[in-house]
Amino acid sequence: MLKILHTGDIHLDSPFSKLDARRAEIRRGELRTSFISMMQYARKNAVDLILIAGDLFDTEFVTRETMALITREFSLFEGSIVISPGNHDCYAPGSVWERTAFSDNVYIFTEPTLSCFSFDTLGADVYGYAFTSPERTDCPLSGAEVNDPTRINLVCAHGDLASPLSRYSPISRSDIVSFGADYTALGHIHNPGAITKEAGAVYGYSGCLEGRGPDEIGPKGAVLLEIDKVGTEAEVHARRIRFSKRRYEEAQIDCTGAETLTAVESAMADEIERRGFGEDTLLRAVLTGAVSPSLIVDTRALQSRFSDLFSVEIRDNTVPFLDPGEFENDRTVRGAFYRAMLEKIESGSPREREIAVLALRYGLAAIAGENVSDL
Ligand SMILES: [Mn+2]
């Protein structure tokens, strides 16, 4: 049985620039730590082959510290490592791939055309190609087939299954199926979806190792494969292993009917508890629903009440609940103000409407005697 770890899109040395400086530094360290955990896992579980399907590095500028870490981890691994440079870390003259002395167990595709590394002790062939510039609009697998269908045939490639017009090596399902590999290890898409089995071909994305922003949702990791092959029939078992220290998550919080910030807070707390978010979570909470017109959602105050999470970003998409009858008989300044704003909300331009909604909220809060000066 052949044991393979399929990873990619690690993007070491990513700046994490959407976070504040302190958290960004923590995250850069955590990404390196997750990489180490993955390599330790491969050693402890007697993995034969690691496939890195591109974007090991975020850019061609790799810190000395990161490079020392990588070369050390690679040299400690007893199996072989195959790397297909991707669009973020393409194999170009003078690139980090050329400048670095890797251990003998590291095999890097250097050509844009399809080529193959054969591992006779494993009975396996690994096909792949390199990005040699940040974009390419062809797919080297197209029209090609494996050399020997009785070997364990693998592809390690950076390419885009999502669109035939992609600038990042568009690859089609029919290219994969007709090529005839037992497993195709893909890189490029960071939210990986399912591992697919189709006409004897198994293929999928590893996804990234750590989410780097709110669009890279959920726990991240690598794919562990166990492959047995008799004749030309391969049995492929694939499962995902989490290595990410943290996860980005998004939650829609329905705040309908809320009259106070405490009510919004408890709606958030309920959802956080229900979904098991904790110190590993970077949460984007989107508040929705029609709320009391006098409720001002102070997102900074709310944020500070969820310090158990690693970070929380709050988007206030609530709208005021407007009831023309509510202040109908209110002859005070409050009723007059309400009616004036309501008119603008109902008939103004989108910009006027937006301002009137805010004015209504602040105005009603001020009339009610709340301190709105520092909101
Ligand atoms: Mn990538």
Side-chain angles (χ1 to χ4, degrees), residues 191-206:
N191 294 316
I195 303 289
T196 306
K197 292 190 186 194
E198 194 175 328
V202 181
Y203 59 92
Y205 284 95
S206 60

Side-chain angles (χ1 to χ4, degrees), residues 248-304:
Y248 281 86
E249 298 287 356
E250 184 170 301
Q252 304 281 328
I253 313 288
D254 183 4
C255 303
T256 300
E259 293 186 348
T260 62
L261 202 59
T262 309
V264 175
E265 183 187 345
S266 85
M268 271 183 74
D270 287 350
E271 183 67 3
I272 286 167
E273 194 188 335
R274 192 180 70 78
R275 293 179 59 184
F277 298 154
E279 54 85 38
D280 75 336
T281 311
L282 298 100
L283 178 65
R284 171 183 282 173
V286 182
L287 310 179
T288 62
V291 300
S292 164
S294 63
L295 170 62
I296 295 170
V297 179
D298 180 352
T299 52
R300 261 184 305 167
L302 257 186
Q303 240 171 355
S304 69

Side-chain angles (χ1 to χ4, degrees), residues 102-167:
F102 291 101
S103 43
D104 291 343
N105 60 339
V106 179
Y107 298 81
I108 304 170
F109 291 111
T110 61
E111 298 295 326
T113 48
L114 191 69
S115 53
C116 176
F117 292 116
S118 285
F119 299 93
D120 289 336
T121 51
L122 303 175
D125 288 343
V126 184
Y127 295 84
Y129 50 86
F131 271 67
T132 51
S133 62
E135 295 185 5
R136 62 181 299 169
T137 52
D138 64 325
C139 172
L141 279 190
S142 270
E145 277 180 36
V146 300
N147 295 328
D148 179 354
T150 65
R151 305 271 288 181
I152 292 179
N153 289 298
L154 306 163
V155 174
C156 175
H158 202 74
D160 193 347
L161 261 178
S163 162
L165 300 175
S166 175
R167 288 173 293 144

Side-chain angles (χ1 to χ4, degrees), residues 127-362:
Y127 295 84
Y129 50 86
F131 271 67
T132 51
S133 62
E135 295 185 5
R136 62 181 299 169
T137 52
D138 64 325
C139 172
L141 279 190
S142 270
E145 277 180 36
V146 300
N147 295 328
D148 179 354
T150 65
R151 305 271 288 181
I152 292 179
N153 289 298
L154 306 163
V155 174
C156 175
H158 202 74
D160 193 347
L161 261 178
S163 162
L165 300 175
S166 175
R167 288 173 293 144
Y168 308 107
S169 198
I171 185 168
S172 72
R173 288 170 168 77
S174 68
D175 287 338
I176 291 172
V177 170
S178 58
F179 185 70
D182 301 304
Y183 182 74
T184 299
L186 294 170
H188 189 62
I189 306 278
H190 292 191
N191 294 316
I195 303 289
T196 306
K197 292 190 186 194
E198 194 175 328
V202 181
Y203 59 92
Y205 284 95
S206 60
C208 53
L209 194 61
E210 280 281 346
R212 294 174 308 148
D215 52 347
E216 297 177 357
I217 292 278
K220 300 293 184 192
V223 181
L224 181 73
L225 297 144
E226 292 172 334
I227 303 182
D228 281 303
K229 191 159 183 176
V230 178
T232 58
E233 291 297 309
E235 204 175 306
V236 180
H237 288 281
R239 70 188 163 99
R240 294 194 181 278
I241 315 268
R242 174 178 177 170
F243 292 109
S244 67
K245 174 97 174 138
R246 303 195 198 268
R247 55 182 169 144
Y248 281 86
E249 298 287 356
E250 184 170 301
Q252 304 281 328
I253 313 288
D254 183 4
C255 303
T256 300
E259 293 186 348
T260 62
L261 202 59
T262 309
V264 175
E265 183 187 345
S266 85
M268 271 183 74
D270 287 350
E271 183 67 3
I272 286 167
E273 194 188 335
R274 192 180 70 78
R275 293 179 59 184
F277 298 154
E279 54 85 38
D280 75 336
T281 311
L282 298 100
L283 178 65
R284 171 183 282 173
V286 182
L287 310 179
T288 62
V291 300
S292 164
S294 63
L295 170 62
I296 295 170
V297 179
D298 180 352
T299 52
R300 261 184 305 167
L302 257 186
Q303 240 171 355
S304 69
R305 296 181 200 176
F306 293 96
S307 54
D308 291 354
L309 303 177
F310 183 74
S311 77
V312 58
E313 174 200 343
I314 297 169
R315 292 199 171 175
D316 176 21
N317 290 352
T318 59
V319 291
F321 173 71
L322 299 172
D323 176 6
E326 189 179 346
F327 294 110
E328 213 169 1
N329 301 317
D330 187 333
R331 295 293 148 208
T332 68
V333 66
R334 197 174 68 141
F337 176 68
Y338 185 88
R339 286 187 291 275
M341 290 304 110
L342 197 59
E343 196 185 311
K344 288 199 184 301
I345 289 168
E346 283 170 348
S347 60
S349 67
R351 176 78 187 133
E352 269 177 339
R353 186 187 144 85
E354 201 179 306
I355 294 169
V357 164
L358 275 178
L360 180 66
R361 288 181 153 182
Y362 279 87

Side-chain angles (χ1 to χ4, degrees), residues 8-11 54-55 87-88 158 187-190 212:
D9 294 294
I10 300 175
H11 289 266
D55 291 1
N87 59 301
H88 278 263
H158 202 74
H188 189 62
I189 306 278
H190 292 191
R212 294 174 308 148

Side-chain angles (χ1 to χ4, degrees), residues 58-71:
D58 193 48
T59 69
E60 59 179 318
F61 304 105
V62 182
T63 61
R64 211 179 300 178
E65 186 188 7
T66 295
M67 196 43 100
L69 170 92
I70 285 184
T71 50

